[in-house]
Amino acid sequence: RDVLLGLFFITIGMLLDVAVVLDNLGWVLAALLGLLLLKCLVAAAASRWLGATQGNAMRAMPACTVE
């Protein structure tokens, strides 16, 4: 299973056109930051919904960006 997952991501990576990414670097970085912000906000909201204090929910936000 792990081999097939690795093969999938290698195949997708080989399809990536680096020139297009570099031409649209601003948009790529904005999308990356937007997704990270959304992920942190969802983690904080889920923490609050599950009963965490506001302080603990805010502390969960930076931890969600590093995996």
Side-chain angles (χ1 to χ4, degrees):
R1 178 177 168 188
D2 292 336
V3 173
L4 291 176
L5 189 60
L7 183 62
F8 169 75
F9 283 111
I10 288 172
T11 305
I12 295 301
M14 291 175 67
L15 294 174
L16 184 67
D17 190 358
V18 178
V20 172
V21 173
L22 291 176
D23 287 342
N24 299 304
L25 190 57
W27 285 108
V28 171
L29 292 176
L32 175 67
L33 290 175
L35 286 173
L36 287 176
L37 178 65
L38 179 65
K39 183 179 175 183
C40 287
L41 291 175
V42 168
S47 295
R48 285 292 285 163
W49 185 67
L50 292 172
T53 63
Q54 184 175 0
N56 284 339
M58 296 300 284
R59 280 190 286 278
M61 289 176 62
C64 72
T65 59
V66 179
E67 300 209 14

